Amino acid sequence: MRWTEPEGHGPVRYGPPVPSDGLPVLPELAAVLAEAAGRGEGEPVGGGPELLAAAAGYGARRGAPAEAGRVVAGPGAPALLLALTAALGGDVLVPRPCAAWWAPYARLLGRPLFHVATPAECGGVPDPYALLETVRRVRAEGGDPRLLVLSVADDPTATVAPPEVLHEAVEAAAAEGLHLVSDETWRDTLHAPHHTMLVSPAEMLPERVTVVTDLAGALLPSGWPAAVARLPAGAAGDGLHARVLDVLTALDARVAAPVAAAAAHALTEPEPVTARVRAAVRLHARVAAAVHGAVVGAGAFARPPQAGRHVYADLGPLRQALAAHGVGDAQDLEDFLTARLGRPAPGGHRFGDDLGALRVRLSTGPLLGDTDAQRLECLTSPTPLELPHVQRALMLLRSVFDDLRDDAQRWEPPR
């Protein structure tokens, strides 16, 4: 077991789960899954015809048509990323910070992994100059960088990469001959979809980009693992498709048949599913805005959340106040906020960020209540932030951050 520094701070291999929507299962999806529960035969490795056709249609409606033979399904995005990493070979590049589940699969395969700084505008994609310098350095040291994993709508930073920033990063990756895996799990959770332009790297470099979408992002409950990957066209895509299926077969990584039925139904986007997605996104956007307000109101930094169900906060400006509570790094911060808030608050080191930086991901799902009835009330209320249980949760959050702000002000030297 590898430990953070200094010793005793906890295992770095702990991977916080993706932020859940915290909502009851949509009854229509539960009915589809229940109807398929009697299917004794397993789903084929890589997905059955119905699931793959639904996934191809889902991509086509987003401007990225693909034949069913270019789509692969697996029991969650981690299984697909593992298969892609094994199939592509070479060293792996990821932005810093990045989703907590990206790095472990490279390490599991014994592949060197290198973090690349992100631009000031957003997380999820590497700064193009930092990317070029990292590739140059790795090759000079005898490495073999081949794969860049990125996300336009990002976990953990909750930002969306502007098209011009993404274009520069994709151009740099193409110039170095890298294959890109675009994690688009959160693309359907844009808080302001009519004002935020999301462009996929696959639209810029279709012959070298594989798009991975975990359906837990918007369409399925996180406890029903299913994800789809859209592979490039052409001969390169043929070879990659075959190698990915080989790895998935070796792992016997199949989507459970009842989950596959629910996933296929969700991917066709019937009205009950799309209505739930829209309502859930609106709800989490409101709560995320309130969390962001509490963070910046206390004097900490956080980019305004644009997607997902989380806020990524930098409490560096409150370092002196936190030091009085024994907080000196991200692990200490995680322990401190988890204890104060009564819910997990994973530190930035879980996402590949510097241990010494006081950064933390705050999820919105736990603020919606402790019971399905409370969470469903949030979903249907026109003013969810005014519900008593949400108000209490936000009041606790604000009080923790306000106390830190007050402590920081007491530490300020007199003017």
Side-chain angles (χ1 to χ4, degrees), residues 129-399:
Y129 300 104
L131 176 62
L132 292 171
E133 174 59 23
T134 302
V135 170
R136 183 203 62 78
R137 175 175 53 82
V138 170
R139 287 180 176 152
E141 295 173 356
D144 182 22
R146 297 189 197 175
L147 173 61
L148 169 64
V149 187
L150 50 76
S151 56
V152 182
D154 187 44
D155 170 27
T157 66
T159 58
V160 176
E164 61 276 12
V165 172
L166 177 65
H167 187 266
E168 291 178 356
V170 170
E171 276 193 333
E176 297 300 331
L178 303 178
H179 187 94
L180 282 71
V181 170
S182 176
D183 176 11
E184 299 187 6
T185 295
W186 302 102
R187 70 167 296 153
D188 290 335
T189 66
L190 300 186
H191 296 176
H194 299 298
H195 302 283
T196 306
M197 180 175 292
L198 186 149
V199 178
S200 169
E203 299 176 49
M204 302 176 179
L205 196 67
E207 68 279 6
R208 299 192 69 89
V209 177
T210 296
V211 174
V212 174
T213 304
D214 196 310
L215 303 191
L219 297 177
L220 288 183
S222 57
W224 298 4
V228 294
R230 189 172 68 252
L231 306 178
D238 289 337
L240 181 58
H241 182 263
R243 293 193 300 275
V244 166
L245 287 181
D246 285 344
V247 177
L248 293 175
T249 300
L251 297 172
D252 196 27
R254 307 168 187 262
V255 183
V259 174
H265 181 74
L267 283 164
T268 62
E269 299 182 286
E271 176 55 27
V273 170
T274 57
R276 163 59 76 88
V277 170
R278 289 193 298 268
V281 170
R282 284 196 302 269
L283 170 62
H284 284 281
R286 290 175 177 176
V287 179
V291 172
H292 178 262
V295 169
V296 298
F301 295 140
R303 295 187 184 101
Q306 297 175 287
R309 304 185 278 260
H310 49 286
V311 172
Y312 197 60
D314 184 345
L315 276 63
L318 304 175
R319 181 176 291 276
Q320 197 167 15
L322 286 163
H325 296 279
V327 175
D329 61 23
Q331 180 63 60
D332 294 334
L333 181 62
E334 176 182 301
D335 295 340
F336 174 81
L337 288 179
T338 296
R340 295 299 191 281
L341 298 174
R343 56 182 60 91
H349 62 304
R350 306 297 183 186
F351 310 100
D353 223 333
D354 294 331
L355 177 63
L358 297 179
R359 300 187 184 115
V360 64
R361 187 187 71 184
L362 302 170
S363 297
T364 54
L367 301 173
L368 303 183
D370 299 321
T371 67
D372 281 351
Q374 288 180 333
R375 297 168 187 139
L376 192 59
E377 187 180 12
C378 289
L379 191 67
T380 56
S381 172
T383 54
L385 301 187
E386 297 177 11
L387 296 174
H389 61 277
V390 178
Q391 282 189 331
R392 286 193 297 271
L394 288 172
M395 191 177 302
L396 172 61
L397 179 76
R398 292 191 189 100
S399 69

